[in-house]
Amino acid sequence: MSSNDSFIQISPSEFFYKNRDLAGFSNPSRSLYTAVREFVENALDACDQHGILPDVHLTIKAVEPEKPDPKPYILTVKDNGPGIDSKYVPLAFGTVLYGSKFGLKQARGMFGLGATMAILYGQITTNKPVTVKSSTDGKTQDEYELLLDIQKNKPVILKHETKEISKTGLSVSICLEGDYSKAGAKIRDYVYQTSLITPYATVTFDDPKGEKFRYTKIVRTMPPAPTILNPHPYGVDVETIKRMVEDSKFSIPTVDNKTIEKVRTELGLKKKDLNYSEIMSRAKKRWSSLSRYVRVVIAVMSFLKMDFDKLSKIRIDDLDISSEKISYWDFGESKSFTIDMDPESDYYRQLTNTTQGEMLVIFLTKRFQRVGRTTAEKFAEFAGFKPEKRIGTMTNQELVKLSDALQKFPTFLSPDPKCLAPLGAEPLEKGMKAFFNPDFISVVQRGASAYSGFPFVVEMGIAYGGEIPSGGTKVYRFANRIPLLYDEGSDVVLKVVNETDWARYKIKGDPPLVIVSHICSTKIPYKTVGKENVADRPEIERELRLALQFLSRKLASYMSKRGQAEMEKKRANLYLKYIPLVAQFCTELSGKKKEPDYKKILKEAVPVETKI
Amino acid sequence: MKQKSKKSTKKSTEERRRTLVELLKNKGTEIYEELDKGNFPSFSVPSRSVSNIVYDKQLRQYILGSNVSLRSSRNMSQLRSFTQLMWLAFFANRLVNEKKSSTLRDIYYSSQAFEVDFEDQPESDNIIVDLEAVLRRPREDLHIFPEERSSVFGDLVIEYTVPGYEGKRSNLSDHPDGYLIGPSLSSAELVETSAELVIAIEKGGLFTRFVEEKVHKKFKAIIVDTAGQAPRSTRNLLRRLHDEMGLPVVILTDGDVYGEHIAMVIKSGSANAAHLRELTVPDAKWLGVWASDIEKYKLPTIPMTESDIKRINDLLKDPRYQEGNWKKQLEIFKKIKRKAELEAFSKYGLTHITDKYLPEKLELAKSL
């Protein structure tokens, strides 16, 4: 590399613009489908998170219907969610990487990136702005027209209007180059299957050909929302640990009114003002009862030599333990000061400990899920660390050793599934009933399990007969409430279904059978970037297999009962048909006028419920 | 002129009809009462399986053994055939009472009007045989006849009993083509005859020749065309001619194993009709063509097929072929492996069979 080469920093917008294939915007057909998915999923996620039963309306209209595909389409997705605060709208829809979906819990999309990508794609292909209408209070609605400045990664507001409205919600409308003749079937499938796995939502779709698809909600209760949890030891790598260690170091207290209030409370000086030395001696007396947070503030105060009143007039800018200096900004004098700390002081040691981070055992119990004191101590022994080892003092090598040990320690409890949001057996059953109207249905929700530290739950339903057409087993696959539509061949669910010996369960030929499989996890192990098939992790495969076996046994018992009932009915029909004939014939043969009373034997031969 | 013996212990047509009607009524009443009591009615049907067919030396025919199977309306797999049997009894009762005739095929089609469904005609044929076995009466008594017809010719006066012809008489020599042995002839009373002999012949062609050659006059014979294996109505007529009119019966067949067996079935019945009596003529005599005649009369022959040989071996195991001429002829057939048709006599002239062969054989028959 010559010294003339210059490094150019590109904005995230530019990066995505150059790599839009990665995000699913490679051609007009795929892009239309991806855009639909991104907006619909965002709408559903927003409603889910706020406990609102979603009403999502999708419209695709051709700008010039007569033109052949590919051509510009207007894609609008409207929901009844919480809306987005007016001041965030330009940032949320006019920049890349502005999202609200961080943290360990299950959600459909990850960071809300896809929607911005769709907007970006629309802008690139049609040079039209995105129209966003949002209302958070159900009274006023803000309408924006935005363009994205790709180089600067900044929104350009073309129009902003406010008007009165009666409902909360968000409506996003973009114009993009698409190919509905190719993508239509896929989009319709997507809408259909999405409403199957979201029976608590109403989803409608008005397609460019004038067809209207309506899926109204089947249940009116929402599955419980997932909670955000600490990571599980199995699920973290060295980089994550490093970030967590940084976090564990006690941060410099912001000395604001709230902090001062807290210190005063713990020292019992809520109403009383003392001078600096009085405060210090009082603190010394009460030291053992003080919280760590307050101890740190007192330590800082000991070097600043300030009382509460003075303290409230400064802002601490830096606290450098290694060079023993504290810098602060004095509001009163509008000036920056730096003072030295005495390294021999007990207060200095207090600050040192703090910056060395938590002890290993504390670090483990506090920052990971499902790790208790005993487990943490056992782990320390297993990993070859002292339990009280300060996490902040670990070298890079030690951190790698810690990370390896976390992966290998055999007795961590399995991950907590509270961060997952399965649909639940009952709504799944109701949804399947409404969609397929089968003769038989059974659903199961397996207990939570984990693969490589990521918790997952498998839900499955099986439906047979009724309005389901014959022609073989149809499998609907879902992951985190998203339908997986294509690339079935290599999917783990399909593998498990295909390896089932159906004859064992009294299922033959091309049965009218539907299987719905839903895998929920904080991280779905997709096989490909396309996110259409799930890899065959042994833990997931096992859960799927157990779920399917459970359901198949139920189906088999239904099938054998059905067989018996059919036999019984056939039997009853035989008697009902022939005994009256026998009676008729023997009456004439014997020369009698009245038929014999054969009701008695019919009563015996025909069970009551089969009598027609 | 022979007249029917008044002392005949054999039931007259009217008598047979009366007892049958009574039998049907009794069966119907049985079933009616079971139903009325709340029981599932059933029929005892003599088993017609091979293991239950035995040869009765005294009766000189095959009969059914003592095995019976119960056909119950309680049993799901028997309910349908029970109902079919019941319907057939009901339908036969109408036929007999109204003096109407039906055929095997007609029965099959008639069932459809009563919601009694037969899969196919063999199924209904089979139920008819079941009813015969239950009632121990041939289907002709039930006014059910096969489609195939054989013929009779000769000086025999009959008196019809079928509706519209009651009391009307016919002489069976009035029409040179002969008379079809159909329902009305089968149910007619045999009144009188000048004949002294019945000649049953296997083939229609020779039957016509015999009429042309006036065999009926020359030999004072009634000629019956069996048209191959004699149908039951024909066998029944032969028996009645023998029993009621006291006429000896002789049989002429092709010179092969099938011909020999046609004669045997007329004489001692078939396994298929083991449940029935009154279809056999134990005194009937097989005139030929014997295996030994082939050599004796230098008849042109054709070689036997493999199935002919197989048939010989099968019949050699039959108890009726264990002695006398029956056994002897089979063994000769087996030895020469050749067969001759009745028509083979044409080699020596069209009338050779009536002029030469028949008289010689009839003479010989007297000593059999």
Side-chain angles (χ1 to χ4, degrees), chain A residues 271-310:
Chain A
K271 300 261 156 66
K272 210 167 155 193
D273 270 329
L274 292 179
N275 66 26
Y276 163 70
S277 51
E278 281 167 343
I279 293 172
M280 280 299 138
S281 63
R282 195 171 182 111
K284 217 167 202 169
K285 259 188 242 162
R286 298 196 168 207
W287 193 254
S288 60
S289 69
L290 298 181
S291 70
R292 187 167 169 205
Y293 183 82
V294 172
R295 286 176 188 181
V296 173
V297 179
I298 299 288
V300 174
M301 279 171 78
S302 77
F303 299 115
L304 294 171
K305 304 193 188 328
M306 291 174 181
D307 59 13
F308 293 132
D309 183 49
K310 182 84 176 105

Side-chain angles (χ1 to χ4, degrees), chain B residues 149-161:
Chain B
R149 304 275 169 85
S150 51
S151 324
V152 57
F153 180 86
D155 179 30
L156 172 68
V157 177
I158 58 161
E159 188 179 309
Y160 293 104
T161 61

Side-chain angles (χ1 to χ4, degrees), chain A residues 162-183:
Chain A
T162 306
K163 66 173 183 182
E164 304 224 328
I165 199 176
S166 61
K167 268 190 224 159
T168 69
L170 185 72
S171 159
V172 183
S173 193
I174 63 167
C175 185
L176 77 171
E177 174 118 317
D179 186 339
Y180 190 76
S181 58
K182 277 191 191 144

Side-chain angles (χ1 to χ4, degrees), chain A residues 571 574-575 577-579 581-583 585-590 592 594-598 600-601 604-605, chain B residues 25 28-29 32 35-36 38-39 73-74 76 79-80 82-83 86-87 89-90 93-94 114-117:
Chain A
R571 200 180 123 89
L574 271 182
Y575 287 114
K577 175 178 177 189
Y578 287 119
I579 295 293
L581 287 175
V582 170
F585 300 149
C586 73
T587 306
E588 183 171 322
L589 257 187
S590 59
K592 297 217 166 42
K594 205 177 131 249
E595 284 197 355
D597 178 16
Y598 59 84
K600 277 176 276 183
I601 67 168
E604 187 185 327
Chain B
K25 186 174 179 176
T29 308
Y32 184 98
L35 270 180
D36 209 38
N39 296 331
S73 56
R74 181 193 294 276
M76 237 177 83
L79 178 59
R80 183 160 165 269
F82 177 91
T83 311
M86 197 60 219
W87 169 77
F90 155 90
N93 187 51
R94 281 192 176 176
F114 294 89
E115 292 171 72
V116 177
D117 41 342

Side-chain angles (χ1 to χ4, degrees), chain A residues 404-599:
Chain A
D404 282 354
L406 284 173
Q407 299 293 322
K408 285 178 190 140
F409 186 62
T411 46
F412 285 127
L413 294 173
S414 56
D416 191 334
K418 279 207 280 286
C419 53
L420 299 181
L423 179 57
E426 201 193 319
L428 179 60
E429 179 170 342
K430 282 186 177 157
M432 285 177 71
K433 256 187 198 156
F435 268 71
F436 306 120
N437 197 9
D439 287 339
F440 167 82
I441 188 166
S442 183
V443 298
V444 66
Q445 187 186 77
R446 297 278 310 160
S449 185
Y451 79 95
S452 336
F454 299 107
F456 72 92
V457 164
V458 165
E459 295 178 294
M460 207 183 268
I462 202 165
Y464 181 92
E467 286 175 15
I468 301 169
S470 296
T473 309
K474 174 101 182 92
V475 181
Y476 292 95
R477 299 171 298 128
F478 299 93
N480 289 352
R481 298 190 207 166
I482 295 177
L484 308 180
L485 294 181
Y486 293 89
D487 207 2
E488 299 192 319
S490 47
D491 187 87
V492 62
V493 180
L494 264 293
K495 182 184 168 201
V496 168
V497 171
N498 290 336
E499 281 172 10
T500 304
D501 178 10
W502 290 103
R504 275 184 56 199
Y505 301 109
K506 301 185 167 68
I507 301 293
K508 276 169 255 149
D510 293 329
L513 188 65
V514 163
I515 294 171
V516 173
S517 154
H518 185 203
I519 304 172
C520 304
S521 178
T522 47
K523 186 171 182 244
I524 302 279
Y526 289 110
K527 249 186 192 171
T528 55
V529 232
K531 292 194 174 182
E532 292 289 6
N533 55 9
V534 179
D536 42 359
R537 298 297 178 105
E539 298 90 344
I540 296 183
E541 192 179 324
R542 181 170 175 275
E543 282 298 309
L544 288 168
R545 209 174 285 285
L546 290 172
L548 187 58
Q549 278 169 4
F550 174 83
L551 296 175
S552 305
R553 280 195 296 273
K554 295 252 168 160
L555 178 59
S557 109
Y558 164 78
M559 290 304 283
S560 80
K561 268 189 216 139
R562 181 184 167 115
Q564 276 167 15
E566 267 170 15
M567 203 56 202
E568 199 54 51
K569 204 172 169 188
K570 220 171 137 189
R571 200 180 123 89
N573 283 341
L574 271 182
Y575 287 114
L576 287 171
K577 175 178 177 189
Y578 287 119
I579 295 293
L581 287 175
V582 170
Q584 177 199 335
F585 300 149
C586 73
T587 306
E588 183 171 322
L589 257 187
S590 59
K592 297 217 166 42
K593 292 240 154 54
K594 205 177 131 249
E595 284 197 355
D597 178 16
Y598 59 84
K599 296 273 177 336

Side-chain angles (χ1 to χ4, degrees), chain A residues 352-385:
Chain A
T352 311
N353 281 350
T354 301
T355 53
Q356 279 174 348
E358 293 153 344
M359 290 190 292
L360 179 60
V361 238
I362 306 287
F363 175 72
L364 289 170
T365 49
K366 207 168 118 186
R367 296 185 184 270
F368 289 90
Q369 52 164 288
R370 315 297 303 266
V371 183
R373 183 92 196 182
T374 325
T375 313
E377 277 165 6
K378 273 191 193 145
F379 169 79
E381 199 192 325
F382 170 84
F385 291 109

